[in-house]
Amino acid sequence: MLIDLSFPNSILKVKYNDKVNKLVCDRDLIIEEEAVRMLSDMNTLFRDLNPDFEDEPLYYMINGVCYPEHKELFDNYRLKYEYTVLLPKLIGGEFLKAHGHIHYAKTDPDKSIMEFMEVIHGKGVFLLFLPSNKGFEVIIVNVKPGDRFIVPKEYYHLTINTGSEPFIFSDIISNVSGGDYSLLKERKGAPVLMFKDSKGGIRLDWNHNYLPIEKITICDADSIPWDQPFTIDGPLYEDFLSSPDKYRILANPY
Ligand SMILES: O=P(O)(O)OC[C@H]1O[C@H](O)[C@H](O)[C@@H](O)[C@@H]1O
């Protein structure tokens, strides 16, 4: 199937071929990095996975995407545009998810980075969490295509595909952003695990490696409970092209 990754007013016209898991574009397109996360990269994060599982791809990361004529602008702002494609699968009954991480700045590890997210296709959630004074606080954002928001530096974050099609999102992030995966590795995932229940719905299980979980908030992108340095209405790639200065805040570790 060819999935259109463009919005009606997009300049960037790109499709995703989910048979070969590759971007398709009818003109020259820069792609700086393509990576795939395999089940064997994160099998310990799926609680009920059969120990003698067969390895398989979980999601694809396509980073540094732009038309050649926009490369200089992205480089001048020290930013990059990326796609992430999570396949529609259950792993040990759990909805397929990204590993999850928290950012740090490679140029200044004591500081961190925010990331601008844009949901493009499919059904899924962003799961964010952070330590609180009595344990951990969890925020589950139910998202739909066209939702756009910033993930602040304080939050560990990951995405989960709860649908039957690839869950695809884009982001703009600093070129010097690094990901710290250690807490999720040590504690075998996020504080909340998301399973498909017997009626085809979603069941949330606590990850006992995090207890106590002080608070859990479930919301949609229009009611996220953290401050946004700025918001946008149109496609992310094009908004950056038309007003790049407001994106400086994403390039500067804070
Ligand atoms: O880095 P992971 O935890 O495996 O997550 C996979 C992807 O989702 C993150 O939120 C970022 O948007 C992507 O740059 C990243 O590659």
Side-chain angles (χ1 to χ4, degrees), residues 124-144:
V125 305
F126 278 71
L127 191 153
L128 298 95
F129 66 96
L130 77 172
S132 60
N133 45 13
K134 293 201 199 89
F136 284 87
E137 184 182 335
V138 177
I139 303 172
I140 293 176
V141 188
N142 290 305
V143 295
K144 62 187 179 306

Side-chain angles (χ1 to χ4, degrees), residues 33 35 37 42 59-63 80 82-86 97-103 115-117 126 151 157-159 169-173 177 179-181 184:
E33 180 197 19
R37 191 82 72 213
M42 53 184 282
Y59 54 96
Y60 296 86
M61 295 160 277
I62 309 160
N63 302 331
K80 57 184 174 178
E82 309 179 315
Y83 290 109
T84 304
V85 181
L86 276 72
K97 62 191 175 186
H99 188 289
H101 58 257
I102 191 166
H103 296 141
E115 179 174 16
F116 205 113
M117 301 293 194
F126 278 71
V151 173
H157 56 281
L158 61 112
T159 43
F169 65 95
S170 67
D171 68 78
I172 286 184
I173 194 165
S177 171
D180 178 352
Y181 297 84
L184 289 108

Side-chain angles (χ1 to χ4, degrees), residues 6-17:
S6 313
F7 292 93
N9 45 346
S10 287
I11 297 169
L12 185 63
K13 301 284 187 195
V14 176
K15 291 184 168 59
Y16 188 75
N17 181 328

Side-chain angles (χ1 to χ4, degrees), residues 173-188:
I173 194 165
S174 156
N175 283 339
V176 298
S177 171
D180 178 352
Y181 297 84
S182 54
L183 183 68
L184 289 108
K185 261 191 200 343
E186 284 155 27
R187 307 234 185 156
K188 299 188 185 334

Side-chain angles (χ1 to χ4, degrees), residues 3 16 18 25 27-28 32 34 44 48 54 63 77 90 127 129 140 193 196 210 213-214 220 250:
I3 300 170
Y16 188 75
D18 73 349
C25 184
R27 58 154 290 192
D28 46 344
E32 288 176 341
E34 292 183 272
T44 59
D48 299 347
E54 267 196 42
N63 302 331
Y77 280 81
L90 293 178
L127 191 153
F129 66 96
I140 293 176
L193 306 172
K196 188 163 194 171
Y210 281 91
I213 293 171
E214 185 180 0
D220 59 27
L250 277 78

